[in-house]
Amino acid sequence: MTGTLNKIVFPTAGLGTRFLPATKASPKEMLTIVDKPLIQYGVEEALASGMDEIIMVTGRGKRAIEDHFDISAELEANLKAAGKDALYKEVSRVARMAEVVYVRQKQALGLGHAVACAEHWVGDEPFGVALADELIIAEIPAMQQLRQVHEQTGCSVIGLMQVPSHLVNRYGIVQAEQQANGLLQLKDMVEKPPIGEAPSDLAIIGRYIFTPRLFELLADTKPGKQGEIQLTDAVARLAQEEPVYGVLIDGKRFDAGNPLGFLMANAELGMLDPKIGADFATFLRRLL
Ligand code: UTP
């Protein structure tokens, strides 16, 4: 499959039940790590990986995401008039950082269904998918790590992470085979397998590049686990038809879509923050 890779889909239409009541009226993707919402980390990662055509799949109650990437003329004028130049620059940078198209997923029928909602805007081209609540901090942006293998092979590529064997039932888990060329080819995958039945300890962590063939398979995927159209089911079928590769992501990953992962991400990035890191670390040390 040829074609330039500059489109990326962010599914953001989930219900965020693991983070209720915070996510009752505001999107999980707007939860803040230090001073930036998760979705902005995701978009910055995409841009740093050369994917600047962004398709956001949203649902009810997600307007804050659109507003975040929109121009706020009043706010910009106020900051400018008050001489708050750094803030003004940052706020206007966010509003202009990317061209974003919004597509509505009318019912939360699953991640696979959300990705399928973007088909019209992606067309017949390879495309990325990133889950913004999976925050990945890496020297080489995670999507760029996937892109390198996509450019080498022209195939679909999925980001992976090793997980403890007692946690496999929380993830999509792959069965992989090391190829002579050093790449990891995925043979099969299963969503949230029972402990003891997982094909490996390699988990899918919310970063993907797909060939457009995925859309045809998604259209033909029946609801699976939890009655949702599972992305993993369609990808497993894709892997039977054409090579799908896995990349062990080099970086730190936080599942910020649940309170514990969110607090861990804030603790780690908070301590690294140039403005507040030192004070925050002192506070934490005292607390412990
Ligand atoms: P999750 O299962 O992590 O998200 O889906 P969720 O359903 O919002 O959260 P919980 O499990 O209820 O707490 C992974 C990603 O897929 C999106 C979510 O927004 C998240 O980014 N998603 C999921 C959709 O866009 N639509 C869906 O129907 C389901």
Side-chain angles (χ1 to χ4, degrees):
M1 165 60 48
T2 50
T4 45
L5 174 64
N6 39 32
K7 293 188 175 154
I8 184 164
V9 178
F10 283 92
T12 66
L15 300 177
T17 46
R18 286 170 301 156
F19 224 129
L20 282 168
T23 48
K24 185 172 175 229
S26 50
K28 165 168 80 170
E29 294 75 13
M30 288 301 291
L31 287 167
T32 313
I33 309 298
V34 187
D35 58 359
K36 218 158 63 173
L38 284 166
I39 192 67
Q40 189 180 331
Y41 285 93
V43 167
E44 286 175 352
E45 179 190 322
L47 297 176
S49 307
M51 297 175 205
D52 59 359
E53 290 181 45
I54 292 170
I55 299 144
M56 210 78 83
V57 181
T58 65
R60 262 176 300 284
K62 303 281 181 170
R63 263 214 38 206
I65 298 176
E66 296 184 34
D67 289 344
H68 186 70
F69 293 105
D70 196 4
I71 292 173
S72 173
E74 191 186 352
L75 178 62
E76 287 184 20
N78 279 338
L79 292 172
K80 214 172 184 177
K84 296 182 174 166
D85 286 344
L87 282 176
Y88 164 74
K89 275 196 192 126
E90 178 59 8
V91 162
S92 61
R93 182 184 74 87
V94 172
R96 293 161 181 85
M97 64 169 51
E99 276 309 317
V100 189
V101 168
Y102 297 90
V103 186
R104 194 91 164 191
Q105 184 191 23
K106 292 179 187 159
Q107 275 180 293
L109 298 178
L111 173 58
H113 180 258
V115 172
C117 291
E119 178 175 5
H120 174 77
W121 300 101
V122 173
D124 193 26
E125 289 176 30
F127 63 102
V129 174
L131 309 187
D133 57 333
E134 308 249 8
L135 175 63
I136 303 178
I137 304 300
E139 209 162 297
I140 301 175
M143 283 309 296
Q144 176 65 22
Q145 295 181 40
L146 266 59
R147 176 189 269 278
Q148 285 164 356
V149 175
H150 173 75
E151 283 175 354
Q152 191 183 336
T153 61
C155 296
S156 298
V157 188
I158 293 180
L160 302 173
M161 175 187 77
Q162 216 158 9
V163 294
S165 50
H166 67 280
L167 297 180
V168 288
N169 57 350
R170 297 186 190 175
Y171 298 92
I173 301 289
V174 303
Q175 184 196 338
E177 242 178 49
Q178 191 86 42
Q179 301 298 294
N181 58 7
L183 295 176
L184 207 55
Q185 186 170 347
L186 306 186
K187 295 293 176 181
D188 201 4
M189 57 210 69
V190 50
E191 190 58 37
K192 302 189 175 75
I195 295 165
E197 289 175 32
S200 74
D201 60 355
L202 296 178
I204 298 172
I205 52 161
R207 296 293 183 280
Y208 316 79
I209 290 171
F210 293 120
T211 60
R213 171 70 180 142
L214 181 84
F215 287 125
E216 288 163 339
L217 295 173
L218 275 174
D220 192 36
T221 300
K222 305 273 170 302
K225 278 232 160 93
Q226 292 153 354
E228 294 187 339
I229 296 179
Q230 296 287 349
L231 181 62
T232 307
D233 292 345
V235 183
R237 287 177 60 203
L238 186 68
Q240 284 163 13
E241 285 187 10
E242 54 183 58
V244 174
Y245 293 101
V247 171
L248 273 165
I249 297 288
D250 190 6
K252 273 214 164 151
R253 172 254 181 205
F254 301 93
D255 180 1
N258 74 73
L260 180 61
F262 167 81
L263 290 173
M264 287 173 170
N266 266 306
E268 184 130 357
L269 294 197
M271 291 221 289
L272 292 176
D273 187 84
K275 278 187 262 166
I276 60 165
D279 288 347
F280 184 51
T282 308
F283 165 77
L284 284 182
R285 257 181 245 115
R286 237 184 266 139
L287 195 68
L288 292 169

